[in-house]
């Protein structure tokens, strides 16, 4: 009797997503969805738009003072967002 390699459903789904090139967009979507949870509702309330381009998260904030404060904490925010997703999705963050 031959024993086949047994894999979990989660492993099979991730493998399929990688093969179809959908893993990165899914992780980017998760990272942007984690923004209010990681940053808090107050900061999320001042956030108008989020998008990722070339591993950089662009965030449009409506409060200039908040933009300046968050710019000084860029590296910590990047670490927290990547940790929330569980992988290295972004390398930098820019506030507009």
């Amino acid at each position: 009797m031959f024993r086949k390699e047994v894999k979990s459903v989660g492993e099979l789904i991730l493998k399929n997503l990688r093969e179809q090139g959908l893993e990165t967009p899914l992780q980017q979507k998760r990272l942007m969805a984690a923004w209010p949870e990681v940053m808090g509702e107050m900061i999320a309330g001042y956030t108008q738009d989020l998008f990722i381009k070339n591993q950089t998260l662009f965030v449009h904030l409506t409060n200039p003072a908040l933009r300046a404060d968050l710019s000084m904490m860029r590296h910590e925010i990047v670490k927290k967002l990547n940790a929330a997703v569980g992988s290295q999705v972004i390398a930098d963050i820019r506030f507009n």
Side-chain angles (χ1 to χ4, degrees), residues 27-29 31-32 50-58 89-90:
Q27 290 177 334
Q28 290 175 348
K29 174 77 171 140
L31 186 130
M32 290 187 291
L50 294 169
F51 69 92
I52 298 174
K53 183 176 181 180
N54 297 330
Q55 288 192 317
T56 301
L57 175 64
F58 291 88
V89 178
I90 60 171

Side-chain angles (χ1 to χ4, degrees), residues 41-88:
E41 292 300 322
M42 194 266 313
I43 292 174
Y46 289 107
T47 304
Q48 281 191 337
D49 191 25
L50 294 169
F51 69 92
I52 298 174
K53 183 176 181 180
N54 297 330
Q55 288 192 317
T56 301
L57 175 64
F58 291 88
V59 181
H60 180 72
L61 296 170
T62 58
N63 186 323
L66 182 61
R67 185 180 318 133
D69 288 345
L70 293 180
S71 292
M72 290 186 281
M73 302 183 334
R74 287 188 0 226
H75 300 293
E76 293 86 17
I77 295 170
V78 168
K79 288 178 187 177
K80 287 181 182 180
L81 288 169
N82 283 329
V85 177
S87 69
Q88 179 74 27

Side-chain angles (χ1 to χ4, degrees), residues 1 8 12 23 25-26 32 36 38 56 71-72 82 85-87 95-96:
M1 181 187 275
S8 71
L12 294 173
E23 182 181 30
L26 178 63
M32 290 187 291
V38 171
T56 301
S71 292
M72 290 186 281
N82 283 329
V85 177
S87 69
F95 297 100
N96 314 4

